[in-house]
Amino acid sequence: NVVDIYQREFLALRDRLHSAEQENLKRSKELNLVLDEIKRAIAEKQALRDINRTWSSLSDETKLKLWNVTSSKNVLQLPSIFHHLPHLLAKETSLQPAVHIGQGRTGVSIVMGVPSVKREVHSYLTDTLSSLMSELSQAEKEDCVIVVFIAETDQQYANSVADNLKRLFPGEIQSGLLEIISPSVHFYPDFSNLKESFGDPKERVRWRTKQNLDYCFLMMYAQSKGTYYVQLEDDIVARPNYFTTMKNFALQQPSEEWMILEFSQLGFIGKMFKALDLSLIVEFMLMFYKDKPIDWLLDHIMWVKVCNPEKDAKHCDRQKANLRIRFKPSLFQHVGTHSSLAGKIQKLKDKDFGKQTLHKGHANPLAEVTTSLKTYQHFTLEKAYLGEDFFWAFTPVAGDFIRIRFFTPVRIERYFFRSGNIEHPGDKLFNTTVEVLPFDNIQSEKEALKEERERTPKYQRTEDGFIRIGKFQNGIAEGEVDPSFGPLEAMRLSVTTDSPVWVILSEIFIKKAE
């Protein structure tokens, strides 16, 4: 029976070894699971570091987009632009400008937004920009940005407008004063299902709805560029000293409660906002962009902020007057008659703009003035040269001229000619050169037509002896006269190609050398 005892103990030992082996296998699996958990935790921690690094580099808009769209764990959904314009989520480039030209200037006092759309009859954009920029001093040009928003998704049209502005205003773009943008083709929603409201036909509802989105795009782009934002239009003219007037009026407000400073009583022209308020304004506009036009929405924002429903309309108006403050006289005048809404003619004029001088006079050297241009009514060249009125003539053609022949030869330091005026800003001189006729032609040719070191022409000479020293750009010709020319016998403006418009010469300034 000793054998039986050993056999039973052996079997018991085998069972214990088998149990121990099973237990070891179980422990080994558990250890492997723990190891896998440790590895996964380390990987997740590293991934979290990467995500945090990436997250911190994202823009606020992108963070909102990711937060609301990709995470199913968020019980609370943060509102964003994508709630009001969900179609923007379809394309990553929907909020990226298709055209984007400029130096990206920031930190200025005032950003001016100029939306421009394709007009069927006549575009006033270049005249508007010329007016805005010609009234700025050098210091003012360095303290502002003018943003042109070509509010069209037709890429060919947007590029053609941008190319024309680059050709006309290369210096202003290079310096950072002028920027040009246009929306992505994916920015606007489908306008075909808009509901008609307030008696407006579908086309007008579409027009005002798109206009609201245009303003939003411009404001979103301009918000980070300056302290104040001024909304303008593309068919206006500006008063002299308008920039400093606006800036000082804003800085001199007794409190920061104001929301809108108005520098024109017309529509959405000359409305100034604090850049810090633009987010609030854009959010409100996006909530109701399909429902009402911009001027109504702005009034509603102020009503929500300060009006008490339990008090009467007069009390509400008094409260809103603290938020919306009017400056007089108006600094901007509406000049366009053809609206961006097809077929609409609007002869809106700001009565507070006042009567503007249509010419500027100077004491010029005594001279005889003649022209080949046909004068309109009593607006003669003689009156313009004497500073009594402006010169107005019918459409110039190639070969036309304006000649100023001095009674006695005179040394000229510099010249300034301005074409067009505030009532007829489009009547400008195009493709027109400025020429001088030195009294001592032989000496002037020796000294001025040749560089000292290189024997290459410095100026071009016409067949009748005049020397070309400048040309009109954006309706203005200005410059200094080379002292080596000596006394001048005459000056001349020569038209080199046919013009599409009549011409006004509103300022002639010929400064004699000291």
Side-chain angles (χ1 to χ4, degrees), residues 439-453:
F439 178 67
D440 187 349
N441 249 323
I442 297 175
Q443 183 62 24
S444 69
E445 185 168 354
K446 286 180 182 178
E447 296 186 13
L449 296 185
K450 303 291 180 180
E451 297 283 359
E452 289 184 5
R453 296 182 181 178

Side-chain angles (χ1 to χ4, degrees), residues 61-171:
E61 283 292 345
T62 307
K63 287 177 183 175
L64 273 173
K65 182 176 176 181
L66 290 170
W67 180 271
N68 285 337
V69 178
T70 65
S71 178
S72 60
K73 296 179 181 179
N74 297 328
V75 178
L76 301 181
Q77 293 291 303
L78 298 177
S80 75
I81 184 175
F82 303 105
H83 283 80
H84 310 297
L85 300 171
H87 69 281
L88 296 177
L89 292 170
K91 294 289 182 179
E92 288 293 324
T93 58
S94 58
L95 287 174
Q96 296 298 318
V99 171
H100 193 185
I101 298 167
Q103 304 304 313
R105 180 186 283 184
T106 58
V108 298
S109 293
I110 297 177
V111 183
M112 289 174 269
V114 182
S116 183
V117 296
K118 190 174 184 179
R119 296 174 189 266
E120 293 186 356
V121 180
H122 180 70
S123 173
Y124 307 90
L125 177 60
T126 55
D127 293 335
T128 295
L129 293 177
S130 295
S131 175
L132 290 173
M133 292 188 282
S134 66
E135 300 297 348
L136 294 172
S137 68
Q138 186 56 43
E140 291 171 336
K141 288 179 179 179
E142 294 170 2
D143 194 27
C144 69
V145 180
I146 299 172
V147 181
V148 173
F149 176 54
I150 307 167
E152 300 288 350
T153 54
D154 180 345
Q155 199 59 45
Q156 185 175 356
Y157 173 77
N159 286 334
S160 69
V161 174
D163 289 342
N164 187 46
L165 296 181
K166 286 193 288 185
R167 180 179 60 83
L168 292 173
F169 306 105

Side-chain angles (χ1 to χ4, degrees), residues 153-335:
T153 54
D154 180 345
Q155 199 59 45
Q156 185 175 356
Y157 173 77
N159 286 334
S160 69
V161 174
D163 289 342
N164 187 46
L165 296 181
K166 286 193 288 185
R167 180 179 60 83
L168 292 173
F169 306 105
E172 290 80 0
I173 293 173
Q174 184 62 36
S175 69
L177 170 61
L178 179 63
E179 297 188 16
I180 308 161
I181 58 173
S182 76
S184 160
V185 294
H186 308 293
F187 174 66
Y188 297 106
D190 181 5
F191 292 124
S192 61
N193 296 318
L194 294 172
K195 296 178 181 177
E196 295 182 21
S197 58
F198 304 110
D200 287 341
K202 183 154 284 189
E203 184 53 34
R204 184 175 178 85
V205 173
R206 181 194 180 282
W207 173 76
R208 78 184 194 212
T209 299
K210 177 184 173 295
Q211 190 179 59
N212 285 341
L213 293 176
D214 292 343
Y215 293 137
C216 288
F217 195 104
L218 247 178
M219 288 179 176
M220 289 188 290
Y221 179 83
Q223 182 179 13
S224 62
K225 289 183 168 293
T227 305
Y228 304 111
Y229 173 76
V230 176
Q231 184 66 58
L232 299 172
E233 298 292 348
D234 67 347
D235 52 358
I236 61 167
V237 290
R239 268 184 182 272
N241 203 38
Y242 74 93
F243 176 88
T244 297
T245 302
M246 290 194 301
K247 181 179 175 181
N248 288 343
F249 188 66
L251 293 174
Q252 290 166 6
Q253 292 305 304
S255 78
E256 286 296 305
E257 290 183 12
W258 66 270
M259 191 170 188
I260 306 174
L261 299 183
E262 294 189 301
F263 297 97
S264 170
Q265 68 172 350
L266 294 178
F268 208 26
I269 297 171
K271 304 299 184 282
M272 175 184 277
F273 306 90
K274 296 189 285 285
L276 292 174
D277 288 342
L278 291 181
S279 289
L280 168 70
I281 293 166
V282 168
E283 285 183 47
F284 192 91
M285 287 168 60
L286 288 176
M287 282 191 280
F288 305 104
Y289 75 95
K290 292 183 286 189
D291 301 312
K292 291 186 177 181
I294 182 62
D295 48 344
W296 291 9
L297 292 180
L298 286 176
D299 188 70
H300 291 333
I301 294 176
M302 292 184 290
W303 191 97
V304 169
K305 286 179 75 71
V306 297
C307 289
N308 185 339
E310 297 178 355
K311 305 220 171 169
D312 60 17
K314 289 183 179 180
H315 179 270
C316 181
D317 289 341
R318 287 195 298 271
Q319 295 302 308
K320 288 191 293 185
N322 295 323
L323 299 185
R324 189 172 197 149
I325 301 169
R326 179 92 165 81
F327 176 88
K328 291 184 181 182
S330 296
L331 299 182
F332 305 98
Q333 177 65 288
H334 180 259
V335 294

